[in-house]
Amino acid sequence: MNWEQICDDKALEDLPYRVELTRHGQLLMSPHRSYHSVYQSRIIRLLNTLLPGGEAMPECPIQASSGVLVADVAWASPEKVKRNFDLPSWAESPEIVVEVLSLSNDDKEIRGKREAVFAKGASEFWVCHRDGSLQFFGPRGRLRKSRICPKFPAGVASPIT
């Protein structure tokens, strides 16, 4: 199967899992806990507020050499949104890719996703830990804060007021 076939498969549309596709055509399914969705929502809301010129989105599929990776949250400039809008999966990475960690994630997997999206043109990769704290990375390593969105907080766990 390819990504477009997976997207069109009625048997897969109501799964309560995030689905990704390996380069060998294998489906990877990851279940999420409630905090995962809450953190995604908070990150999207903040990105749309702090970077109103682009588009923050959930579950963004990115075609990488390792297969189709699905970013928990991504932010892209209008130009990248326009170029990738009608594609089954993004041919290039959005500028910011955010991974909200689940119990099943390990360091090797996250490092692989980070390297894959940087190879496809991402400018930053953010990791949101289970406690809501964030780490920011650029292609050359860890950043003290986001360069694209320097006002973004170091965490999203506190209640939204």
Side-chain angles (χ1 to χ4, degrees):
M1 290 185 105
N2 65 35
W3 189 251
E4 191 166 7
Q5 291 169 318
I6 290 169
C7 291
D8 293 339
D9 189 330
K10 296 292 183 197
L12 299 174
E13 70 182 17
D14 290 326
L15 290 175
Y17 305 105
R18 176 175 62 180
V19 176
E20 295 181 303
L21 182 67
T22 70
R23 67 174 167 242
H24 304 294
Q26 299 167 310
L27 288 179
L28 297 177
M29 293 188 287
S30 305
H32 293 132
R33 296 185 179 270
S34 297
Y35 76 86
H36 196 278
S37 295
V38 172
Y39 290 168
Q40 281 179 284
S41 174
R42 290 176 182 182
I43 291 166
I44 289 168
R45 186 173 29 244
L46 284 166
L47 281 169
N48 280 329
T49 299
L50 296 170
L51 295 174
E55 190 74 39
M57 59 207 125
E59 309 297 330
C60 179
I62 304 162
Q63 182 63 54
S65 61
S66 57
V68 176
L69 306 176
V70 179
D72 289 323
V73 175
W75 180 91
S77 63
E79 298 80 24
K80 281 195 176 185
V81 171
K82 185 176 181 180
R83 287 195 302 266
N84 292 276
F85 187 81
D86 288 322
L87 301 176
S89 59
W90 283 52
E92 59 189 318
S93 179
E95 286 88 342
I96 298 173
V97 172
V98 184
E99 182 71 16
V100 178
L101 296 183
S102 299
L103 293 172
S104 62
N105 294 126
D106 62 31
D107 289 341
K108 181 179 178 184
E109 175 191 2
I110 299 304
R111 191 171 39 257
K113 285 185 178 185
R114 189 171 68 221
E115 291 169 1
V117 298
F118 283 140
K120 294 298 287 189
S123 299
E124 293 185 2
F125 184 87
W126 301 0
V127 176
C128 180
H129 295 273
R130 292 188 65 229
D131 66 359
S133 64
L134 288 158
Q135 288 180 302
F136 305 97
F137 295 87
R140 292 193 174 107
R142 185 127 181 233
L143 304 170
R144 193 174 62 75
K145 62 182 179 177
S146 170
R147 291 184 178 143
I148 296 173
C149 189
K151 292 183 179 178
F152 203 93
V156 292
S158 61
I160 299 295
T161 54

